[in-house]
Amino acid sequence: MSDLKNKRVITACLCGSWPTRADNPAVPYTPAEIAEDAYECWQAGAAIVHVHAREADGSPSIRYELYEDIVNRIRAYKDCDVCINITSSGRECGPDEERIDPIVKLKPELCSYDAGTLNWQHRTIFENHPRFLEKLGLAIQEVNVKPEIEVFDAGMVYNTVYYMKKGILKAPCHYQIVLGAAGGMTNTVENLVYLKSILPEGSTWAACGIGAGHMPIMLATIAMGGHLRVGLEDNVYYHKGVLAESSAQLVARAKRLLEEAGLEAATPDEARQILGLTRKVF
Ligand code: ZN
């Protein structure tokens, strides 16, 4: 095993469900655009790409065919071994089976696992019913897909402790601390320190700040030993008032910041070792 202690995993979140081309014209919509962005992010230093699907008009979608197309296109880049993380959410989430289907059929290395329900950005309910979380946890164990557990507040961390006891989640888990989504905890370093302090021992973790909190949370995460997530899903700006050109531009900055701190961006294979991903898709 190579020396991994100075390696940090960068995840690129390409489009999510919310940002549109009105927010930033670089937001990818079609499977071809999403796959192209995934490839560019890998070239820029991302080890994982976190994937949502959109219909051609940009509306969020959980249609299986779109996910299949995106995954096939990413895997068709023969020199690219980036780890794929498929979301299990999506705006106005559909029936449980539709959310789980792309994951169990396409078997990415990772999938997101949002460990609770919250009011989302003062607009809607981001619903993750206990019934859904139980089904998803068991279904992905069967196909050996690792959950990337997204936590937006402390209660979600404690939910995962319960699910580990029940066998619905298998330790050690990998957490993504997401701060700054209205309805969840705000993006302060104090909140980051607190959430990190209550993660179960032996967990791996990353963090990201939504919008304006993007930079301070990234810098604090680097200092605290965590892994990083950047991309247009979380933040459409490069600087205040200056739109990002692409998710790859944000990945390149994250890689540079790691290097300035004497660290390195992990390759996909190093990320597989760090996160305990036992199955390599390629
Ligand atoms: Zn997402």
Side-chain angles (χ1 to χ4, degrees), residues 33-54:
E33 291 165 351
I34 292 168
E36 218 168 277
D37 274 16
Y39 185 70
E40 277 177 18
C41 285
W42 167 74
Q43 285 180 311
I48 300 173
V49 288
H50 169 66
V51 169
H52 288 243
R54 302 287 188 102

Side-chain angles (χ1 to χ4, degrees), residues 48-248:
I48 300 173
V49 288
H50 169 66
V51 169
H52 288 243
R54 302 287 188 102
E55 297 293 341
D57 66 356
S59 57
S61 179
I62 51 171
R63 220 152 44 82
Y64 172 76
E65 294 73 24
L66 292 172
Y67 282 102
E68 186 180 37
D69 197 3
I70 294 166
V71 168
N72 286 343
R73 284 170 186 272
I74 296 173
R75 289 180 183 156
Y77 289 105
K78 288 302 170 205
D79 58 337
C80 170
D81 62 346
V82 73
C83 304
I84 298 176
N85 170 341
I86 294 182
T87 185
S88 62
S89 71
R91 212 158 101 197
E92 316 295 350
C93 292
D96 295 351
E97 284 65 31
E98 277 183 33
R99 295 173 67 179
I100 296 172
D101 235 32
I103 296 160
V104 296
K105 286 188 183 155
L106 296 168
K107 301 183 182 61
E109 284 94 339
L110 296 139
C111 71
S112 62
Y113 185 100
D114 295 280
T117 294
L118 74 160
N119 280 2
W120 183 255
Q121 308 279 24
H122 310 303
R123 289 155 139 173
T124 186
I125 294 171
F126 180 18
E127 187 184 324
N128 294 288
H129 195 283
R131 174 202 63 230
F132 169 69
L133 292 176
E134 287 179 23
K135 272 192 218 170
L136 177 62
L138 295 174
I140 61 177
Q141 278 190 47
E142 263 178 45
V143 289
N144 200 18
V145 173
K146 179 139 182 165
E148 177 222 32
I149 298 169
E150 294 186 347
V151 292
F152 295 77
D153 68 30
M156 291 193 187
V157 177
Y158 294 113
N159 279 345
T160 66
V161 173
Y162 171 80
Y163 287 137
M164 279 184 232
K165 276 192 205 136
K166 292 280 175 191
I168 289 158
L169 292 171
K170 214 165 76 184
C173 284
H174 178 57
Y175 288 84
Q176 182 71 248
I177 297 172
V178 186
L179 295 170
M185 289 170 83
T186 54
N187 43 25
T188 64
V189 173
E190 288 78 4
N191 283 340
L192 177 63
V193 169
Y194 175 64
L195 287 177
K196 196 238 164 192
S197 78
I198 62 169
L199 297 181
E201 215 178 314
S203 308
T204 51
W205 68 282
C208 57
I210 305 289
H214 165 76
M215 248 342 220
I217 295 299
M218 177 158 58
L219 293 170
T221 301
I222 292 172
M224 288 165 61
H227 303 288
L228 306 179
R229 168 170 130 164
V230 293
L232 297 179
E233 172 173 354
D234 293 344
N235 164 45
V236 295
Y237 291 99
Y238 192 80
H239 289 304
K240 190 173 164 57
V242 179
L243 291 176
E245 289 166 15
S246 62
S247 289

